[in-house]
Amino acid sequence: MGDTKIVYDEKFGITTFKREICAQLGEAFWNELVENIELPDIDSECKCQCHNMYLFMKRLEEMTDEETLKKILYKVRHGLHPSQCEWAHKEFMEAGNLDDFLKKHLNDELNGFIELNKEKKDFYGQEITDEVLTFIKENPKMLAPVRKGNKLYCMAFPCNMKEYLSVTDEKMKRYHACHCPFAKESILSENVVSSALCNCSLGHMMNFVEAFMDRELRGKVVHSVLNGDLICEYEIEIPDDIMQKYVTLEG
């Protein structure tokens, strides 16, 4: 969602977590957190079914309160920052209406996938088959935020859409939905990484929305495959002044 124009300029990894944890709680906290545990490595977690991240998150949850943890992970957001979507603020201002902006963004994104399907090109390695394209059309929240009242709803692309659509086993569906190299393999283990980690993906989704609204926002994880759901979905609050100025209410 909005990611087709992003240039990823930071190597995401455990150092991203360290930066945000230290910024919020200090380096002494970090040192205590990681004492006598093996740090998760983004390239090798798959070999241990993400058990290092399972232990890391377990300890982090024990040492922090829920709101602080959420704030930290939301800032991790896969190493993204709103400046990578600064084009969106200009387009939002030009549209002058939230629903018009979201509709245009949805159409632009959808047309891009229609072209990928037509030209048999991939999306970050994913084949856009006819079945995948139909799934995308049926789930517009994957392409652009969908407004319901004063909330926006976003849905993450399944990591492997073709496999996600073909399997019937729910655990395997969750596995093929998950993108996170720090958590994906744990879905097939007895020790699934805490769904609190999905606040990182919430931050990823909010990155685009915060960019076009030009401010920090509040949001929450609604559904998470790490929590047993079949999709990952997020809710973002629209500030009152945005509603008043950029939303035309019916009636």
Side-chain angles (χ1 to χ4, degrees), residues 137-193:
K137 289 178 178 178
E138 291 172 348
N139 293 278
K141 287 180 289 188
M142 292 196 301
L143 299 179
V146 172
R147 185 179 71 83
K148 294 182 181 179
N150 66 341
K151 304 288 195 304
L152 294 176
Y153 292 90
C154 311
M155 175 179 162
F157 279 94
C159 182
N160 187 328
M161 287 187 277
K162 188 176 178 181
E163 292 298 325
Y164 177 86
L165 293 173
S166 68
V167 298
T168 55
D169 179 76
E170 290 195 355
K171 179 181 283 190
M172 291 308 299
K173 251 194 190 327
R174 294 197 298 273
Y175 175 78
H176 289 302
C178 186
H179 284 263
C180 183
F182 282 124
K184 183 182 182 76
E185 296 299 327
S186 77
I187 293 172
L188 303 181
S189 77
E190 294 297 316
N191 297 311
V192 180
V193 171

Side-chain angles (χ1 to χ4, degrees), residues 40-86:
D41 180 81
I42 196 167
D43 296 319
S44 61
E45 274 301 283
C46 59
K47 298 175 183 177
C48 66
Q49 292 189 306
C50 302
H51 192 66
N52 293 327
M53 181 54 91
Y54 168 79
L55 295 175
F56 178 86
M57 285 298 299
K58 185 172 184 292
R59 183 176 288 186
L60 183 57
E61 286 184 288
E62 290 170 351
M63 292 175 62
T64 56
D65 63 87
E66 185 177 347
E67 281 304 308
T68 301
L69 178 61
K70 179 180 175 180
K71 185 175 182 180
I72 290 168
L73 295 173
Y74 143 83
K75 285 289 189 180
V76 169
R77 61 177 61 186
H78 306 143
L80 299 178
H81 48 86
S83 65
Q84 291 163 286
C85 293
E86 60 185 5

Side-chain angles (χ1 to χ4, degrees), residues 106-227:
L106 172 61
N107 289 337
D108 289 347
E109 292 290 308
L110 181 56
N111 287 335
F113 280 97
I114 290 171
E115 283 301 308
L116 290 175
N117 170 260
K118 187 184 300 182
E119 297 174 9
K120 300 191 182 305
K121 293 182 178 179
D122 68 272
F123 174 70
Y124 291 104
Q126 294 209 53
E127 183 183 359
I128 308 302
T129 63
D130 291 344
E131 293 78 13
V132 167
L133 183 60
T134 297
F135 178 70
I136 290 171
K137 289 178 178 178
E138 291 172 348
N139 293 278
K141 287 180 289 188
M142 292 196 301
L143 299 179
V146 172
R147 185 179 71 83
K148 294 182 181 179
N150 66 341
K151 304 288 195 304
L152 294 176
Y153 292 90
C154 311
M155 175 179 162
F157 279 94
C159 182
N160 187 328
M161 287 187 277
K162 188 176 178 181
E163 292 298 325
Y164 177 86
L165 293 173
S166 68
V167 298
T168 55
D169 179 76
E170 290 195 355
K171 179 181 283 190
M172 291 308 299
K173 251 194 190 327
R174 294 197 298 273
Y175 175 78
H176 289 302
C178 186
H179 284 263
C180 183
F182 282 124
K184 183 182 182 76
E185 296 299 327
S186 77
I187 293 172
L188 303 181
S189 77
E190 294 297 316
N191 297 311
V192 180
V193 171
S194 169
S195 60
L197 184 62
C198 297
N199 282 291
C200 178
S201 295
L202 169 66
H204 184 135
M205 290 292 178
M206 291 179 70
N207 192 68
F208 171 70
V209 183
E210 289 185 337
F212 79 72
M213 290 192 184
D214 195 28
R215 69 183 70 185
E216 288 195 7
L217 301 168
R218 294 176 59 85
K220 66 179 182 180
V221 178
V222 179
H223 298 294
S224 161
V225 296
L226 295 183
N227 201 35

